Amino acid sequence: MNVEERNHKIVNVLETYFSDASLLWDKVVSSKIASDPDGMVHFTELAKLPKFRSIKVSSEEIKMNAEERCLSRLQLSTDGQKIGRIKPFIPDKKEELDEWSIYVEGLTKPYNTEAAIRELFNSLVGHVSFFRIPPNKNARQQQRTATSSTFYGYCFIEFDDKNNVEKAIQLVNRYPTAPANNHDQANAKLIDKLNLRILSKIEWNKMRDEYVALLNKRKKDYKQVWDEYNEEHKEELNKKTKIMIDKQEEEEEQEDNSETGTIVFVDGLHPKCPKTTAIALLETSTVKIEYMSPKKKGLTSAYVRLGSSEDAKKICNYFMQQHHVIQQDEKDKTGQKQETRTSDCIRLRILTGSEERIYWENDKK
């Protein structure tokens, strides 16, 4: 291994140790980073790690190569004895880091899955370290990974290298037009065909905040217009409200003052007897039936409403004391009188107490 190959190997090992993928499982390096106030690791500690020990590298060699080749992703401490990531490492993070990320809009098939989108930007721009689809309120199901059934053409992409944010905008963005300084001639046709809109996450945040501020202003304006309208029509609204309240109170008063003892339960009617025939039979008592509840065929009973409690007593007295009547068939409007009362005779009973109250409550429904 010549000097150049050795230096390249040292840089590769160093950047690997500090990469997102490595730190997710390498508890030794991640614990050293976590224990340091600045999130850095001393060069002497790095030289003791297995991959550096396997190539017998010194802390001075690691430092020299870091200074010459790695300072786009890593940074030295002020005393130059330690090194750490420029980009913060966040385990199990749910959202991208703004300064390292872009917003992409306009993606279509075949670039409608996370794997395909990662591969596209890995090849066009640089290594993608994080991918996220922002929530869509119109989607019925929200998923963290893009699929053909739930992907709406936009996502956030985070790079390892902060410089790749500007690179992506310069190379891939086609909104509103392609930049004049696009030097990626090899992929120009593909990029033109993609026709994507690329924004830095910072710019996207700015546009979002402006949009939210505009919505809030409109809400405030609408509320002001509505309040002014209500104030102008306040007197008219108050009059209408008073009329409605008075009407409601009047109806409640009428209900409270309604005469009790006017509902009669009737049983013993012919099962097939229609409502009109039943009313005709009951009015042979010379008492007018104000209302009869629906009389379903197959039932022998019904409820009737009389004009007064006196009428209710009168009709009950007629059928229960003076005339013992049987309805012969469904067409019988006069009934057949019996000498004595039997279980087949028509029976009437005035509703009282809770039974009467329940009737009125059901009637309102």
Side-chain angles (χ1 to χ4, degrees):
M1 183 186 301
N2 59 37
V3 175
E4 183 63 28
E5 289 174 343
R6 179 177 175 79
N7 289 339
H8 180 77
K9 178 71 174 178
I10 292 170
V11 169
N12 184 58
V13 171
L14 180 60
E15 290 186 343
T16 298
Y17 270 128
F18 283 95
S19 68
D20 286 350
S22 178
L23 290 176
L24 286 173
W25 62 267
D26 192 334
K27 303 302 179 186
V28 175
V29 178
S30 59
S31 64
K32 291 180 183 297
I33 292 173
S35 63
D36 186 84
D38 300 318
M40 294 188 170
V41 182
H42 203 285
F43 284 111
T44 56
E45 294 295 322
L46 287 171
K48 297 176 184 178
L49 296 174
K51 290 180 181 179
F52 281 129
R53 284 167 47 198
S54 67
I55 56 176
K56 297 179 181 180
V57 65
S58 67
S59 59
E60 288 76 15
E61 279 187 283
I62 300 173
K63 179 180 178 181
M64 179 191 69
N65 279 280
E67 290 174 339
E68 293 178 359
R69 303 166 184 257
C70 298
L71 295 186
S72 64
R73 296 185 182 181
L74 303 176
Q75 59 184 346
L76 296 176
S77 61
T78 52
D79 62 4
Q81 299 304 306
K82 295 185 290 185
I83 192 167
R85 291 165 56 107
I86 296 175
K87 177 183 176 182
F89 173 68
I90 305 172
D92 302 320
K93 66 181 178 181
K94 306 299 182 183
E95 193 166 318
E96 61 284 339
L97 296 171
D98 290 354
E99 294 182 2
W100 279 264
S101 302
I102 60 172
Y103 168 77
V104 184
E105 183 178 278
L107 289 159
T108 57
K109 292 181 180 181
Y111 304 106
N112 61 333
T113 65
E114 179 175 347
I117 296 168
R118 278 179 175 269
E119 183 179 351
L120 175 67
F121 280 87
N122 281 336
S123 63
L124 293 178
V125 183
H127 182 257
V128 174
S129 59
F130 186 76
F131 174 92
R132 183 175 72 91
I133 300 173
N136 186 297
K137 293 182 179 180
N138 295 324
R140 292 185 179 180
Q141 296 180 347
Q142 296 300 326
Q143 299 180 5
R144 283 190 55 78
T145 57
T147 66
S148 58
S149 61
T150 60
F151 186 49
Y152 288 81
Y154 51 85
C155 63
F156 289 111
I157 290 175
E158 179 185 307
F159 296 106
D160 277 341
D161 190 341
K162 188 187 294 187
N163 294 326
N164 283 340
V165 171
E166 186 60 28
K167 181 181 177 182
I169 295 170
Q170 291 298 321
L171 291 179
V172 188
N173 181 49
R174 288 295 182 270
Y175 181 88
T177 58
N181 58 343
N182 189 338
H183 302 297
D184 192 352
Q185 297 301 321
N187 295 307
K189 289 185 178 180
L190 171 60
I191 295 172
D192 288 341
K193 184 178 179 181
L194 290 171
N195 196 34
L196 300 177
R197 181 180 189 181
I198 309 290
L199 293 172
S200 69
K201 179 66 184 301
I202 293 173
E203 183 65 21
W204 184 89
N205 287 339
K206 181 181 176 182
M207 293 179 67
R208 177 202 59 193
D209 294 342
E210 289 174 354
Y211 175 71
V212 171
L214 178 62
L215 284 182
N216 290 335
K217 184 179 182 304
R218 287 185 176 179
K219 288 180 182 178
K220 185 178 179 180
D221 291 343
Y222 291 152
K223 184 178 184 302
Q224 182 179 348
V225 171
W226 181 246
D227 290 343
E228 289 174 356
Y229 173 84
N230 285 338
E231 187 64 30
E232 290 176 3
H233 297 78
K234 187 174 182 180
E235 185 176 350
E236 182 182 349
L237 289 171
N238 287 340
K239 286 181 180 179
K240 289 182 178 180
T241 303
K242 187 177 184 305
I243 291 172
M244 291 175 64
I245 293 174
D246 291 345
K247 184 177 179 181
Q248 184 177 355
E249 290 177 349
E250 183 181 348
E251 290 175 352
E252 290 175 355
E253 185 178 352
Q254 288 176 355
E255 290 177 1
D256 293 339
N257 295 334
S258 59
E259 187 176 2
T260 60
T262 59
I263 310 303
V264 174
F265 176 73
V266 181
D267 198 6
L269 297 170
H270 192 279
K272 295 183 180 180
C273 169
K275 182 176 177 179
T276 53
T277 302
I279 291 175
L281 174 59
L282 294 173
E283 286 185 342
T284 58
S285 63
T286 70
V287 176
K288 179 175 175 55
I289 305 298
E290 297 291 335
Y291 171 79
M292 178 179 239
S293 62
K295 169 69 173 61
K296 296 182 180 179
K297 289 186 177 181
L299 296 180
T300 62
S301 61
Y303 292 92
V304 294
R305 191 183 306 164
L306 288 308
S308 66
S309 58
E310 290 300 319
D311 284 346
K313 292 176 183 177
K314 183 178 179 181
I315 195 172
C316 286
N317 184 60
Y318 180 87
F319 284 103
M320 296 299 292
Q321 303 295 331
Q322 301 173 2
H323 299 82
H324 309 306
V325 176
I326 294 176
Q327 190 177 26
Q328 293 285 71
D329 54 46
E330 68 268 27
K331 297 180 181 180
D332 186 359
K333 294 184 178 181
T334 57
Q336 183 178 1
K337 294 182 181 179
Q338 305 292 309
E339 292 294 330
T340 59
R341 171 165 293 282
T342 66
S343 59
D344 294 327
C345 291
I346 292 176
R347 302 177 297 281
L348 283 78
R349 175 172 58 82
I350 298 174
L351 301 189
T352 59
S354 60
E355 192 175 19
E356 184 180 24
R357 187 179 68 254
I358 292 170
Y359 169 85
W360 285 111
E361 289 175 355
N362 291 333
D363 184 65
K364 291 177 182 179
K365 296 177 182 178

